[in-house]
Amino acid sequence: MKTIHCLLITATISLFSCISSQQQEKESIRINQIGFYPSQEKVAIWDNELAQDYIIIDERQNIIDKGTTQQHTISPFSQKQRYKIDLNAINQIGKYTLLVDNEKAEFEVKNNMLTPLCKAALRSFYYQRSGVPLSEQHASGWSRPTAHPDTLIYIHPSAADENHKAFSTISSPYGWYDAGDYNKYIVNSAYTIGLILTGYQLIPNYYEHLNLNIPESNNSTPDILDEMYFNLKWMLTMQDSCDGGVYHKLTTQDFEGFIAPDKCKQKRYVVAKSTAASLDFAAVMAQSCRIYREQPDYRNFSIHALNAAKSAYQWAKQHPEAIYDQKNINSQYKPQITTGEYGDGHIRDEFFWAACELYISTLEPEYLEDLKKYMPKEFANHGWGGVDALGIYSLLINEERIDLSKQSKEIDEINNNLRKQLLSYAKHEMKKIEGSNFNSMFGNDKNDFGWGCLAEKCINPAISVLIAGKLCDNQSFDKYLQSAFHNMDYILGRNAMGFCYVTGIGRKSPMNIHHRLSAADNIEKPLPGFLVGGPNPNQEDKSSGATYQSEFADESYSDTLPSYASNEIAINWSASLVVLAGLLDAWGNDK
Ligand code: 9MR
Ligand code: 9MR
C-alpha cells in the first residue's frame, strides 16, 4: 500500500474536504454504498462532465492513493460522460474516504461485508408471510395481526371439475404474498424457492449459520429451511389430491387497494390448474424432498413432497396444453380475473427442470429419458418464466449422487454438454465489463432494462457466472468472482441513479416502494431488505400515475408509490438477492 504521510499534504486534504451539504447533493461519485471485501476489485465511477483529481484517505487521514479520474466513457443512453476511479491501492481492512472535486464518499473494506444484506433479504420473506400474526419480537417495529387466513377459498369456475364444483371452497392457508400485491402464485413461488435452494445446495453451511430471528429460530432446523417451508406448506394445499394437478394461483378478482392486509375483504379464488404450475411445483417438491430429508423434523414432509411431485408431473404429462391464458379464461368464465398472470406459453424448460429434479431424487429412468428430450441447446439465464438453468445447476451440483446410478455414463455426457453451455454463456457475459459505463456486465444495452431487470438481468447473470466459475473452471475462479462482484456493485450504488436499490440499506435507497404492506402500515420507512424491480424504459405504469424524471433507459426508475413497473418488490427478486449475496459472502472473503 502506498502511504504518503499526511503532514505534507494537509493543505490538499482540507481543500478536498471543504464540502458544503449543498455541494454534496450533486452526488457524482457512484460507489457501492455498503463497501468492499479486501481482495475485491474496487472501482468507483465519477459521473460528471469533467475529469478531476481524486484522493483516497484512511481514517487517520493518511493518503492511500491519488490520481486523476481515468477511462472516459459516454453513455449510450444519455450521452453522459463518466470516468473510472481505481480504488485498488486499498487492500487493508478499514474505513476510507474518497474525495473528488468538492464531493466525498465514505466506505468500508472488510470481510463478511454482505452478511447483513443476505440476512435482510432472507428476512424479507418473513415480512411477506400471510395467515399468521407477525410479532414485535420478530418483526422489529413492523408487527401486524393475522390477515388473509385463506381457509375459505372459492373454486373459480375455470378450476371446477367433477370433484370440485364452481364456488365450492377449499382451505389454502399460509405462504408468502407474492410482491406488492397480496396474491399467491404457484409459478413464482416454485421458482423463488427453487433458486434459493440452488444457493443452499451450493453453500449449505453458510446459509445454515444465518440466524434470521423468525418464530422457528430456536428449533433444530436451519432458519432458511423453516422460512422456505412456510411457503412450501401452502403450495401443497394448491394441489388437487384427486388428480395431482396444481392450481395456477390463489387470488382476488382484482388487485386490492393500498390497504392493510387485515382490512382486505375481497373473496379469494383458486384459478385453473396449469401445466406450468404443475411442473414448477413438481420440480421444487422433488428438490425439497432431497434437502428436507436430512432434517429430522421434516422427514414426513420430505416423503409427502416426493409423492406430490410425482403426481403433479404425471398430471402435466397428461395435460401438456393447459397453458394459463387469462384473456381466454376471462372470455369463458366469471368473475373476470385481472391480477398477475405469470403466463408462459413455452413449457419445454419447465418440463426439463421438473424431470431433472425428479431424476436426481429418484434415479428412475423415465425422468432421465424426459430430461434428455427437453434438454436446452443453449444456456439461458433463469427467471420465473425460464427455468432451464435451475435444472442444470441441480444436475451439476448433484453429479456425485447421480453417479451412483447405472446411467452415470450418460449423465457424464449430458453434464459435459451443459457445462460447456454454461461456460460459454459466462465468458460472453464477462466480456461486457470492458469499456462499460459502470464497470459492470449489466447496464450496457437498452435490452438490459425492463420490469424486474435488477434481479433478472443484473443479479441472475452474476449468479450464473459465479456458478460457472465454481463448477466448471475453478482454477480461474477469481475472474468469475470479480465479475459477479461488479454486478453487485451496480445494485448497491454504482449506477446511473446513484441508488442502492435495496430498502433500508445504503446511503440512498428506495423509500416509496409499490408494496401494499409498506404503504399501509403508517410507518415512513419501507419494510427492509427488499430489492426493487429497477429502471424500466417501458414505463408501463405511466397511465396509473407513475412519474419519471427521465426517459433514458438506465434512469427510468421512479421512487414513487404508483410505479409498479420500476418500484415494486417481489419474492423472486428477493430470491436473487439472497443467492448472489450469499455466494459472494461465502466465496469472497480473504482466505
Ligand atoms: O398493484 C399491482 C401490482 O402488484 C402489479 O404488479 C401490477 C401489474 O400487474 O398491477 C398493479 O395494479 C395496478 C393495475 O395493474 C392498474 N391499476 C392500478 C393498480 C395499482 O395501483
Ligand atoms: O415479474 C413479472 C414481470 O416479468 C411481468 O412483466 C409483469 C407484468 O405481467 O408481472 C411481474 O410480476 C408481477 C405479478 O404479475 C403480480 N405480482 C407482482 C409481480 C411483480 O411486479
Side-chain angles (χ1 to χ4, degrees):
M1 190 200 300
K2 280 188 272 175
T3 310
I4 308 165
H5 202 270
C6 59
L7 279 177
L8 297 170
I9 23 75
T10 326
T12 337
I13 296 180
S14 51
L15 192 91
F16 272 106
S17 43
C18 165
I19 296 162
S20 76
S21 57
Q22 216 178 359
Q23 283 162 325
Q24 182 68 63
E25 275 170 21
K26 268 184 14 207
E27 293 179 343
S28 312
I29 301 175
R30 300 299 157 84
I31 191 168
N32 175 330
Q33 293 171 23
I34 300 190
F36 301 98
Y37 289 71
S39 47
Q40 182 181 349
E41 279 174 13
K42 304 171 202 72
V43 172
I45 296 293
W46 177 243
D47 186 358
N48 199 299
E49 281 157 36
L50 300 171
Q52 293 288 352
D53 291 340
Y54 67 86
I55 56 174
I56 305 161
I57 55 173
D58 68 11
E59 273 180 297
R60 283 172 296 162
Q61 305 260 305
N62 289 321
I63 293 191
I64 304 300
D65 200 7
K66 59 180 182 165
T68 305
T69 57
Q70 347 142 349
Q71 256 194 45
H72 185 215
T73 60
I74 297 180
S75 164
F77 315 117
S78 58
Q79 312 303 317
K80 285 185 182 165
Q81 325 231 19
R82 294 183 176 122
Y83 300 85
K84 184 169 163 180
I85 302 174
D86 185 326
L87 306 172
N88 288 311
I90 305 169
N91 53 18
Q92 301 283 315
I93 289 168
K95 291 188 174 153
Y96 300 88
T97 307
L98 168 65
L99 301 156
V100 196
D101 195 14
N102 279 326
E103 299 190 39
K104 71 170 177 179
E106 288 164 353
F107 60 93
E108 211 179 336
V109 172
K110 63 173 192 190
N111 285 314
N112 306 314
M113 186 58 87
L114 292 175
T115 309
L117 174 69
C118 186
K119 263 194 191 183
L122 264 170
R123 272 185 53 75
S124 77
F125 288 91
Y126 172 68
Y127 289 121
Q128 293 293 100
R129 287 188 184 192
S130 74
V132 287
L134 302 199
S135 70
E136 198 43 52
Q137 185 194 344
H138 303 112
S140 49
W142 282 279
S143 60
R144 55 178 171 81
T146 304
H148 297 104
D150 288 347
T151 46
L152 219 60
I153 298 299
Y154 294 86
I155 301 278
H156 187 263
S158 62
D161 60 21
E162 60 275 20
N163 302 308
H164 306 275
K165 282 209 205 99
F167 303 106
S168 62
T169 59
I170 62 166
S171 177
S172 188
Y174 311 124
W176 307 306
Y177 299 124
D178 182 56
D181 61 329
Y182 291 134
N183 303 304
K184 307 191 286 195
Y185 307 81
I186 287 291
V187 165
N188 202 36
S189 276
Y191 162 72
T192 296
I193 297 177
L195 178 55
I196 291 185
L197 293 183
T198 297
Y200 179 81
Q201 290 180 102
L202 285 160
I203 46 167
N205 287 335
Y206 172 84
Y207 285 116
E208 281 169 8
H209 284 97
L210 295 180
N211 181 331
L212 302 181
N213 182 30
I214 55 176
E216 299 80 6
S217 285
N218 292 328
N219 70 15
S220 59
T221 310
D223 287 358
I224 183 172
L225 296 183
D226 286 320
E227 191 56 58
M228 296 305 113
Y229 179 70
F230 188 81
N231 201 59
L232 287 163
K233 73 178 169 187
W234 162 67
M235 292 180 70
L236 287 174
T237 70
M238 291 289 280
Q239 182 174 41
D240 179 355
S241 55
C242 303
D243 64 6
V246 180
Y247 300 113
H248 194 71
K249 60 176 171 172
L250 187 159
T251 180
T252 47
Q253 177 183 346
D254 300 311
F255 285 114
E256 289 283 1
F258 272 69
I259 53 177
D262 57 312
K263 301 286 180 305
C264 294
K265 294 281 172 322
Q266 283 197 60
K267 278 185 182 160
R268 286 157 73 88
Y269 299 89
V270 287
V271 187
K273 293 169 196 162
S274 75
T275 319
S278 300
L279 288 171
D280 286 338
F281 173 101
V284 81
M285 288 299 166
Q287 184 190 33
S288 296
C289 118
R290 297 193 300 275
I291 290 168
Y292 285 84
R293 194 186 285 148
E294 314 296 324
Q295 301 300 327
D297 291 344
Y298 283 100
R299 296 253 158 81
N300 287 339
F301 164 65
S302 166
I303 296 166
H304 187 165
L306 185 58
N307 291 331
K310 287 180 174 172
S311 58
Y313 189 77
Q314 291 312 325
W315 186 91
K317 276 181 107 168
Q318 288 150 15
H319 301 84
E321 270 146 30
I323 301 298
Y324 187 78
D325 177 347
Q326 200 149 278
K327 215 164 146 204
N328 187 28
I329 286 178
N330 285 339
S331 71
Q332 296 177 55
Y333 306 104
K334 283 206 161 55
Q336 305 253 308
I337 302 290
T338 63
T339 54
E341 178 154 19
Y342 288 115
D344 183 358
H346 303 278
I347 48 161
R348 181 202 49 75
D349 54 308
E350 281 77 11
F351 265 112
F352 176 72
W353 181 32
C356 288
E357 298 295 355
L358 274 158
Y359 179 60
I360 300 164
S361 292
T362 65
L363 301 179
E364 286 169 17
E366 173 194 350
Y367 303 118
L368 178 61
E369 284 315 303
D370 285 359
L371 84 83
K372 275 171 18 196
K373 181 164 148 205
Y374 294 114
M375 195 152 77
K377 298 206 166 48
E378 195 182 352
F379 182 84
N381 222 324
H382 49 278
W384 64 260
V387 291
D388 276 327
L390 299 184
I392 296 176
Y393 301 147
S394 277
L395 283 179
L396 297 181
I397 294 168
N398 291 285
E399 204 159 42
E400 277 178 30
R401 169 197 291 265
I402 310 170
D403 268 345
L404 301 174
S405 74
K406 292 194 199 91
Q407 300 98 348
S408 60
K409 207 149 170 242
E410 226 173 332
I411 279 292
D412 284 350
E413 256 169 51
I414 292 170
N415 277 3
N416 284 340
N417 171 359
L418 295 174
R419 252 190 288 270
K420 257 192 220 144
Q421 290 187 20
L422 177 57
L423 262 182
S424 100
Y425 168 85
K427 288 187 172 151
H428 180 256
E429 279 301 303
M430 291 192 294
K431 280 203 193 110
K432 296 179 180 171
I433 296 182
E434 209 177 319
S436 63
N437 276 245
F438 289 96
N439 208 78
S440 152
M441 300 183 281
F442 170 77
N444 306 302
D445 185 308
K446 190 160 191 254
N447 293 327
D448 284 1
F449 297 95
W451 201 313
C453 64
L454 292 178
E456 285 163 30
K457 301 283 178 68
C458 182
I459 294 189
N460 291 350
I463 292 173
S464 301
V465 163
L466 266 178
I467 297 181
K470 195 48 128 190
L471 301 184
C472 317
D473 192 11
N474 202 21
Q475 279 179 324
S476 322
F477 181 62
D478 192 59
K479 196 172 66 183
Y480 299 81
L481 176 69
Q482 300 304 342
S483 304
F485 264 129
H486 288 308
N487 277 23
M488 186 59 118
D489 291 338
Y490 191 101
I491 298 289
L492 300 178
R494 201 173 70 214
N495 57 56
M497 297 298 293
F499 261 88
C500 172
Y501 285 116
V502 183
T503 58
I505 300 239
R507 191 170 37 77
K508 179 179 171 189
S509 60
M511 287 300 290
N512 309 297
I513 52 179
H514 187 86
H515 185 213
R516 286 163 177 76
L517 290 172
S518 292
D521 63 2
N522 290 319
I523 299 171
E524 193 188 345
K525 285 191 202 157
L527 281 152
F530 287 95
L531 173 75
V532 295
N536 176 1
N538 305 320
Q539 306 187 357
E540 291 96 332
D541 45 15
K542 262 189 175 160
S543 55
S544 301
T547 47
Y548 289 80
Q549 304 288 320
S550 166
E551 297 288 319
F552 302 133
D554 57 353
E555 296 177 34
S556 286
Y557 168 69
S558 170
D559 183 18
T560 60
L561 187 90
S563 184
Y564 51 80
S566 83
N567 208 28
E568 189 165 354
I569 59 87
I571 53 170
N572 53 323
W573 306 338
S574 295
S576 298
L577 190 59
V578 164
V579 175
L580 184 60
L583 296 181
L584 290 174
D585 200 30
W587 293 337
N589 285 319
D590 276 13
K591 295 288 170 316

